[in-house]
Amino acid sequence: MEHFINVILPIPLEKLFTYSISEPESRFLQPGMRVAVPFGKSKIYTALVFEIHTTPPEVYEAKEIHKILDDTPVVNTIQLQHWRWIADYYMCTLGEVFRSAMPSAFLLESETLILRNERGEVDESDLKDDEFLVYEALQHQSMLRVDEVSAIVDRKNVLPILNRLIEKQVILLKDEIYEQYKPKLVRYVKLGTAYQSEGKLEELLQSLTRAPKQSQVVLSLFQLEVKDKKPIKITDLEQMSGSSKAVIKTLIDKGVLEEYHIQVDRVNYDGTAGDFDLKSLNEHQQKALDEIQGSFDGHKVALLHGVTSSGKTEVYMKLIETCINAGKQALYLLPEIALTTQLISRLQEYFGEKISVYHSKYSIHERVEVWNNVLAKKAKAQIVIGARSALFLPYSNLGLIVVDEEHEGSFKQFDPAPRYHARDAAIVLSNLHGSNIVLGSATPSVESYYNSQTGKYGYARIDRRFGDVLMPDIELVDLKEQTRKRRMKGHFSERLLEEITDTLDNGEQAILFQNRRGFAPIVECTTCGHSPQCPNCDVSLTYHQFKKQLRCHYCGHHIALPEICEACGSPTLDTKGFGTEQVEHEFKKLFPDAKVGRMDLDTTRGKYGYEKIITAFEQQELDVLVGTQMLTKGLDFRNVSLVGIMNADSLLNFPDYRAHERSFQLLTQVAGRAGRTQKRGKVIVQSFNPYHQILKQVSTNDYLGMFKEQLYEREQFLYPPVNRIIKITFKHKNYNTLNDAAEWFAKGLRTIFRAGILGPEYPPVARIRNQYLKNVIIKIPLGQPLGKTKNSIKRIENSFNAISQFRSVRVIYNVDHI
Ligand code: ADP
Ligand code: ZN
Ligand code: ZN
């Protein structure tokens, strides 16, 4: 009998691919093991065994596998089911899920790979345009193949670029086909065996009297041994003795010291381990906890709706404690930007070494370590805290999932596929494990609140802050009036200035929020109205004062700020609109004595980017922090009594059906950073439209009012949660081809669905990296079977792909687009 395996390849194939295996291999292999397989003319891929069987493929001759890469499965069957669901629901392939779910170190291929150099400090302004593109791509993807780099910079020979990037320490190359995961070894020293006895030691010190540096090292080693009674790291010895590596090396060479290695995990906790008891909950928290428990008992998802600083985190911790006491694993999911040291150390205080952290800023090796620890059910990975990708770890007995800040849009992956929503995929995962799941937020998404109202989810609410701290006092300031009365200094109203002055006088801190990074997003000529555009994308370039550059936020293209208008030649370029950098700049002029920091994408690159700024603010080295929405999330600063929202209008005017919901959430969350201790916090919201319904709802903390109004609108216009939407994006270099293609597809959809098809329509930015874009939106009534609908769409795509002129048009599905 012949034996075969169906494997998942890490590429977008519609079907699983079949390979032939020997009889002994068929007895050894199990689903979830990796195999190296040949594909196409010359490629080798890491593939994952999905099933083992005896049916040969019909249309091709099955090739043999090259090599088995694992002794035991690295992916379990629950994961495979979960991936299947993600691929089906979000209309992508299992290969795409596979590629995105596993740490890339598990997926190495035969071609040369380009990785980012985690150690290099990159000066972006030093990079040429094409170099910058590669660098940017590596911010989103941990590795690239050479052909992918070719596609990014749009040229064949990319070796010169790669060589320059290696020189600038931006990238590293990897040639090994199957690089083994290398555990991290730490170097330790001890006294050479010959000198272990007491008499010998004295002799040694005698002999070293002429070498004071060396004897200092030996003495320090002694002191360290006495003090810690632990193995001594070479680095510690260096520090303690104040001597150089060379001196220590001499002693090792002489045999006085002996060097040895101990394997350590990169992600290690080195504080006092979980010695603290959990805080006892107050009555409101306890009630919420009971209600959540009640939902769990009824096998329902629980929604915890608690105002900012109501103590939700403490409630989660109780749930986690119960879960791990039952010997199960717990997953704490957070949006990437909320993953702060603050929260991690808070959890570590209680759970100590049981916690592992998993997110995209960690290196490939760190991620492999966490993966393996979860796979081996190690105690140190019993609680995983992570961003959306932590959903893909190989849990075997998950007891609880916490989805904190569940309303956050960044839980939805935008690019590349799978374009999944981590909250929704978490609910499915909890079903597969039979585990509990709680969604928490101060400002639940309209969907989740709706589900709690219809009885699909359980619901618990805490509507006062812990310790009866008052909700902040929110004051709306009318910018129109202030401008008319000439009360503005730059972008600061008189009221805001007064409040800042008071705050600083009291030795308290303030946060200033502006929803845009950069200095003044757009530069415009006051003579002819021209504003410099990106040559590759249909957007105006954004001004960054610090580097005196104009940059495209879509493709990374940048130029030096021109002196004169390129259209009319006048020296009258002026800035329009404003960003965080300008707020910081104006603030410094107005308050030269105050210390101000800025937190946005530009200042927080790198693994410890956020931490540095947050710590500085926390330790009150900064008086004021200016930032984008990055500072709304999960931060708990004790001394902040004022939050200033520089301009609420840009949020409200966003052209999207969710703009109002999102504004409410964002503003409430930012306001929630104020006054988390006894003194009532103050929030100043500046707006040209202070009578806007949403601003009123924010200032009176009227979530329900917001929900009702938004739900009414969604019902009127058939948007979620009363309908589902699928967005299809078409992409092509040629404008006419794109238009024809999108029209053809939309027509096909209309013949099948009749109602509910919007578009094709250009998005606000209709060309990115020289590709034109057009969207079609399909609204699907909740009663309509989703599987059938998707099959119909796929059938249209198949006929579409049969038209030669359209074959090169990319079709991208985004299910539940938000
Ligand atoms: P949320 O997650 O709802 O924003 P937190 O859990 O961060 O709220 O709680 C706000 C503050 O109140 C934190 O500093 C937290 O330590 C404190 N706190 C919350 N619950 C308790 C409790 N039961 N006992 C003591 N302090 C608490
Ligand atoms: Zn001009
Ligand atoms: Zn661009």
Side-chain angles (χ1 to χ4, degrees):
M1 190 161 36
E2 287 181 296
H3 296 272
F4 299 95
I5 48 173
N6 289 349
V7 301
I8 310 175
L9 286 161
I11 45 176
L13 297 177
E14 284 297 327
K15 292 185 175 161
L16 296 175
F17 219 71
T18 306
Y19 288 88
S20 88
I21 50 172
S22 67
E23 200 271 333
E25 282 171 339
S26 79
R27 272 181 288 129
F28 180 78
L29 280 172
Q30 298 172 45
M33 286 184 181
R34 291 172 307 150
V35 286
V37 295
F39 187 78
K41 278 202 197 83
S42 61
K43 285 191 176 164
I44 298 175
Y45 281 116
T46 301
L48 196 76
V49 178
F50 194 80
E51 52 211 351
I52 299 145
H53 58 92
T54 52
T55 324
E58 277 170 20
V59 291
Y60 56 94
E61 180 91 19
K63 290 184 189 166
E64 284 173 18
I65 63 170
H66 271 324
K67 195 171 161 188
I68 297 176
L69 298 171
D70 295 307
D71 295 333
T72 50
V74 290
V75 169
N76 63 42
T77 46
I78 293 187
Q79 284 175 286
L80 293 176
Q81 288 174 46
H82 191 222
W83 295 3
R84 179 87 263 173
W85 179 84
I86 290 178
D88 289 346
Y89 187 84
Y90 292 105
M91 303 180 77
C92 67
T93 67
L94 263 177
E96 287 166 317
V97 185
F98 173 43
R99 180 177 268 292
S100 135
M102 310 248 342
S104 43
F106 280 134
L107 295 178
L108 294 181
E109 293 150 20
S110 57
E111 295 134 67
T112 302
L113 295 167
I114 292 114
L115 312 177
R116 59 176 173 245
N117 184 345
E118 313 265 352
R119 267 162 310 179
E121 275 289 320
V122 177
D123 176 8
E124 285 173 32
S125 59
D126 182 36
L127 300 179
K128 295 195 179 151
D129 289 2
D130 42 12
E131 296 168 6
F132 185 82
L133 291 180
V134 179
Y135 167 75
E136 274 244 305
L138 283 170
Q139 304 298 313
H140 304 298
Q141 228 170 314
S142 51
M143 55 186 193
L144 294 169
R145 291 191 316 268
V146 174
D147 57 336
E148 288 172 323
V149 174
S150 288
I152 290 169
V153 299
D154 204 15
R155 74 159 98 151
K156 276 250 161 61
N157 183 7
V158 294
L159 287 180
I161 301 176
L162 294 179
N163 283 332
R164 287 199 305 267
L165 286 169
I166 293 171
E167 252 165 53
K168 292 179 183 171
Q169 300 208 0
V170 178
I171 61 165
L172 299 169
L173 296 186
K174 286 255 148 160
D175 289 311
E176 299 117 287
I177 299 196
Y178 297 107
E179 184 215 29
Q180 287 297 309
Y181 157 70
K182 290 190 203 72
K184 184 176 169 188
L185 297 176
V186 172
R187 293 166 66 212
Y188 289 86
V189 272
K190 59 185 179 196
L191 211 53
T193 26
Y195 301 93
Q196 295 276 359
S197 70
E198 212 149 291
K200 284 277 168 52
L201 186 69
E202 239 155 71
E203 242 171 67
L204 170 67
L205 286 173
Q206 281 292 335
S207 73
L208 288 179
T209 42
R210 299 267 193 77
K213 280 188 183 158
Q214 297 184 14
S215 69
Q216 181 57 42
V217 171
V218 174
L219 282 174
S220 302
L221 184 75
F222 246 156
Q223 282 169 346
L224 280 172
E225 260 174 5
V226 173
K227 196 170 118 238
D228 290 348
K229 305 204 165 35
K230 277 199 309 209
I232 294 160
K233 288 185 200 159
I234 289 196
T235 46
D236 289 346
L237 182 61
E238 252 176 68
Q239 236 183 12
M240 178 85 176
S241 62
S243 60
S244 64
K245 286 193 176 58
V247 179
I248 296 176
K249 183 161 184 301
T250 313
L251 287 167
I252 291 173
D253 291 346
K254 276 196 198 171
V256 174
L257 299 182
E258 227 171 74
E259 184 187 10
Y260 62 107
H261 295 90
I262 298 181
Q263 178 183 331
V264 294
D265 274 351
R266 266 157 253 264
V267 189
N268 236 341
Y269 169 62
D270 49 357
T272 41
D275 312 349
F276 294 82
D277 284 333
L278 284 182
K279 298 190 167 96
S280 46
L281 301 183
N282 70 16
E283 52 177 318
H284 310 288
Q285 288 170 314
Q286 188 58 48
K287 185 164 164 279
L289 182 68
D290 294 342
E291 282 162 354
I292 293 169
Q293 200 56 59
S295 314
F296 290 171
D297 292 343
H299 304 287
K300 276 190 191 176
V301 175
L303 174 64
L304 172 57
H305 182 182
V307 296
T308 53
S309 204
S310 57
K312 295 183 291 298
T313 315
E314 301 293 332
V315 175
Y316 303 144
M317 291 205 261
K318 288 278 184 200
L319 293 168
I320 292 172
E321 188 185 39
T322 312
C323 166
I324 61 172
N325 284 347
K328 298 195 161 184
Q329 297 164 312
L331 166 62
Y332 192 128
L333 273 185
L334 273 160
E336 184 96 45
I337 42 178
L339 261 183
T340 60
T341 348
Q342 275 192 336
L343 183 80
I344 295 166
S345 31
R346 221 170 127 184
L347 288 168
Q348 276 172 336
E349 270 184 18
Y350 305 113
F351 302 114
E353 292 179 332
K354 295 208 176 75
I355 293 186
S356 289
V357 182
Y358 192 77
H359 70 116
S360 67
K361 281 199 177 174
Y362 277 25
S363 72
I364 297 177
H365 285 315
E366 286 168 323
R367 275 182 272 167
V368 170
E369 244 153 25
V370 177
W371 185 287
N372 285 337
N373 288 341
V374 173
L375 189 65
K377 293 184 223 168
K378 289 223 179 119
K380 65 182 350 168
Q382 209 180 343
I383 305 168
V384 175
I385 155 166
R388 58 174 186 252
S389 56
L391 207 58
F392 293 116
L393 287 165
Y395 307 101
S396 43
N397 67 340
L398 205 52
L400 173 72
I401 305 177
V402 175
V403 185
D404 197 3
E405 315 282 6
E406 69 84 27
H407 64 278
E408 252 302 313
S410 59
F411 274 129
K412 182 79 157 62
Q413 171 146 315
F414 180 66
D415 216 19
R419 297 178 174 80
Y420 66 103
H421 197 304
R423 175 195 60 214
D424 301 339
I427 292 172
V428 173
L429 186 67
S430 77
N431 266 326
L432 293 173
H433 279 276
S435 76
N436 295 325
I437 177 164
V438 57
L439 317 179
S441 173
T443 51
S445 61
V446 166
E447 280 86 347
S448 295
Y449 190 77
Y450 178 79
N451 284 334
S452 77
Q453 295 309 294
T454 57
K456 189 171 167 200
Y457 295 172
Y459 180 74
R461 181 171 170 89
I462 312 178
D463 50 18
R464 55 176 85 196
R465 289 180 144 190
F466 181 79
D468 285 327
V469 171
L470 290 172
M471 293 303 286
D473 169 30
I474 301 178
E475 181 180 326
L476 302 170
V477 172
D478 186 344
L479 288 177
K480 230 186 285 171
E481 191 192 85
Q482 293 267 314
T483 311
R484 190 165 48 79
K485 294 186 179 163
R486 302 187 178 279
R487 297 266 167 81
M488 299 293 290
K489 284 195 178 145
H491 293 92
F492 290 78
S493 65
E494 197 173 39
R495 278 296 296 131
L496 183 55
L497 288 174
E498 282 167 10
E499 290 293 336
I500 295 175
T501 310
D502 274 1
T503 304
L504 295 176
D505 286 350
N506 291 335
E508 292 157 355
Q509 292 171 294
I511 285 176
L512 298 175
F513 170 80
Q514 173 59 19
N515 191 38
R516 272 183 191 161
R517 62 194 167 108
F519 187 74
I522 291 171
V523 170
E524 200 179 72
C525 172
T526 52
T527 306
C528 76
H530 172 80
S531 73
Q533 303 285 309
C534 175
N536 313 319
C537 315
D538 275 352
V539 282
S540 303
L541 295 170
T542 304
Y543 179 43
H544 285 238
Q545 186 209 27
F546 178 63
K547 288 180 185 151
K548 299 235 177 319
Q549 275 181 346
L550 296 178
R551 291 198 83 101
C552 171
H553 282 185
Y554 288 88
C555 75
H557 173 83
H558 54 96
I559 53 171
L561 178 69
E563 309 256 313
I564 53 168
C565 169
E566 55 186 356
C568 74
S570 318
T572 49
L573 286 176
D574 199 7
T575 55
K576 195 182 160 195
F578 68 110
T580 42
E581 211 180 320
Q582 189 171 6
V583 175
E584 184 191 13
H585 186 74
E586 287 182 8
F587 180 87
K588 278 183 180 156
K589 280 199 176 149
L590 291 162
F591 298 92
D593 296 332
K595 284 192 272 335
V596 56
R598 177 158 60 90
M599 180 152 148
D600 54 30
L601 260 185
D602 296 321
T603 60
T604 56
R605 285 185 207 270
K607 186 167 166 186
Y608 299 108
Y610 307 101
E611 263 105 295
K612 274 191 221 147
I613 298 173
I614 291 171
T615 313
F617 192 57
E618 214 171 20
Q619 298 181 344
Q620 304 188 27
E621 287 159 27
L622 300 171
D623 303 309
V624 172
L625 192 57
V626 177
T628 56
Q629 59 241 53
M630 238 179 219
L631 46 75
T632 58
K633 302 295 145 29
L635 296 170
D636 188 9
F637 299 117
R638 316 301 323 180
N639 197 37
V640 172
S641 57
L642 174 68
V643 168
I645 290 160
M646 301 304 295
N647 182 324
D649 304 315
S650 61
L651 286 172
L652 293 167
N653 299 337
F654 205 77
D656 179 302
Y657 76 93
R658 239 175 240 277
H660 288 175
E661 175 190 354
R662 228 182 264 137
S663 307
F664 181 90
Q665 288 161 341
L666 199 57
L667 295 173
T668 305
Q669 296 281 354
V670 187
R673 301 309 111 203
R676 290 170 75 93
T677 45
Q678 285 316 313
K679 194 181 160 196
R680 188 170 190 197
K682 179 88 190 173
V683 181
I684 300 273
V685 182
Q686 303 191 133
S687 165
F688 282 99
N689 194 0
Y691 303 105
H692 196 291
Q693 197 58 19
I694 286 287
L695 295 185
K696 274 203 202 137
Q697 287 157 353
V698 169
S699 66
T700 54
N701 199 19
D702 183 13
Y703 177 86
L704 200 60
M706 183 282 292
F707 172 78
K708 282 188 179 147
E709 202 172 297
Q710 292 311 308
L711 186 64
Y712 177 78
E713 287 192 5
R714 308 273 176 99
E715 279 167 344
Q716 293 302 301
F717 299 103
L718 302 177
Y719 278 110
V722 293
N723 247 311
R724 284 177 199 286
I725 52 174
I726 298 177
K727 186 174 90 169
I728 311 182
T729 301
F730 301 89
K731 241 181 177 178
H732 198 264
K733 275 198 171 152
N734 184 298
Y735 180 81
N736 291 327
T737 310
L738 176 83
N739 276 322
D740 294 348
E743 279 304 335
W744 191 97
F745 208 113
K747 212 170 138 203
L749 290 169
R750 285 201 171 89
T751 52
I752 293 188
F753 298 112
R754 295 180 207 289
I757 309 295
L758 300 184
E761 194 82 64
Y762 293 108
V765 179
R767 187 176 55 122
I768 296 179
R769 292 179 200 275
N770 284 320
Q771 301 264 347
Y772 290 94
L773 305 173
K774 236 173 174 181
N775 293 329
V776 170
I777 291 197
I778 310 174
K779 293 178 177 172
I780 304 166
L782 285 189
Q784 186 172 318
L786 200 57
K788 252 179 150 172
T789 308
K790 286 173 188 164
N791 286 340
S792 314
I793 298 172
K794 281 277 175 196
R795 271 201 301 278
I796 296 175
E797 189 189 348
N798 288 343
S799 343
F800 176 86
N801 285 334
I803 301 172
S804 64
Q805 170 201 1
F806 296 156
R807 203 164 294 149
S808 55
V809 176
R810 272 197 69 196
V811 179
I812 298 161
Y813 296 106
N814 192 329
V815 178
D816 295 343
H817 166 69
I818 59 169

